[in-house]
Amino acid sequence: MVSYSIVDTGDSRSFPEDHPFLAGSGAEGEVVAYIGAGAISAWQEDLSRTAILVELHTETLGEVTGESRGEEGSNTIGFSRFRVGDGAPSDLVELVRQPHTDPAALEAARMVLEGAGLQVSECFDFAGRILDRLIRPYYNEALAKLDEGLATADDMDLTVKLGLGYPEGPIELLERTGLHHHHDVTQALFEVYGTRHYAPARRARVAKKRAKRGLS
């Protein structure tokens, strides 16, 4: 069992409410996890720890630790519990490593998170990590096809659920969790990669403008 402590900086997207991961922390530990909106600012390098976890949103781990010649890596690891907008976080945590991340740190981080009942995937330090890079173009395409009149929102959602076995269609999921959040994620990815697949869909742009005006 790996002991760990948590530095909670508030408004964590990964852990917005009570969870075994929060309950299992102590005052000190081999691992320290910085969570919340201020996690990156609060992060401190500490080579005496086996691992340091830093909660990410759209940021890359290099924005925390710095980068140099493609040889970056230490005992600091980024993480994000996958969540779409205002929806409940899933049980999947994406661990973000760098080219020379300490293997012992990765193993300790995995043990801490899996010990709290979470599922862990590992990826290199790319904006959007695995899931956002895969699913955001899919959401954008669904929104574009709705604009083009391919089918009604209800028919597209039903087709995806019955044809692919998804529990929820793309349009209903984005509207339930907040289209303006989809805008923010895709805009961040578009600024990094510059491809049309990540450009925020028209409906997401409209939702963002309405959210800025305090409208739903």
Side-chain angles (χ1 to χ4, degrees), residues 101-162:
T101 296
D102 184 352
L106 280 169
E107 181 60 23
R110 181 181 291 274
M111 290 178 66
V112 164
L113 293 165
E114 289 181 346
L118 297 163
Q119 302 296 313
V120 175
S121 66
E122 185 180 314
C123 61
F124 283 99
D125 194 19
F126 292 94
R129 297 174 295 276
I130 299 171
L131 273 170
D132 275 332
R133 289 191 71 183
L134 289 175
I135 68 169
R136 296 299 171 173
Y138 155 66
Y139 292 150
N140 275 340
E141 195 67 17
L143 291 168
K145 290 298 179 282
L146 180 60
D147 277 351
E148 293 169 13
L150 174 66
T152 66
D154 286 345
D155 284 340
M156 282 198 286
D157 286 335
L158 182 62
T159 300
V160 167
K161 288 188 285 187
L162 295 181

Side-chain angles (χ1 to χ4, degrees), residues 35-100:
I35 69 172
I40 292 177
S41 298
W43 171 82
Q44 296 182 26
E45 186 175 34
D46 185 353
L47 298 180
S48 69
R49 303 272 192 168
T50 303
I52 302 174
L53 287 167
V54 183
E55 182 179 1
L56 303 175
H57 182 27
T58 59
E59 308 89 353
T60 60
L61 181 56
E63 295 176 48
V64 182
T65 64
E67 297 180 336
S68 177
R69 302 177 63 83
E71 297 179 356
E72 51 273 3
S74 63
N75 65 338
T76 295
I77 300 166
F79 83 94
S80 179
R81 188 176 172 197
F82 185 68
R83 181 182 182 187
V84 179
D86 291 326
S90 71
D91 286 335
L92 175 68
V93 173
E94 294 175 292
L95 281 184
V96 180
R97 60 168 300 169
Q98 294 171 314
H100 294 284

Side-chain angles (χ1 to χ4, degrees), residues 12 15 101 122 208:
S12 170
F15 298 100
T101 296
E122 185 180 314
K208 180 64 177 180

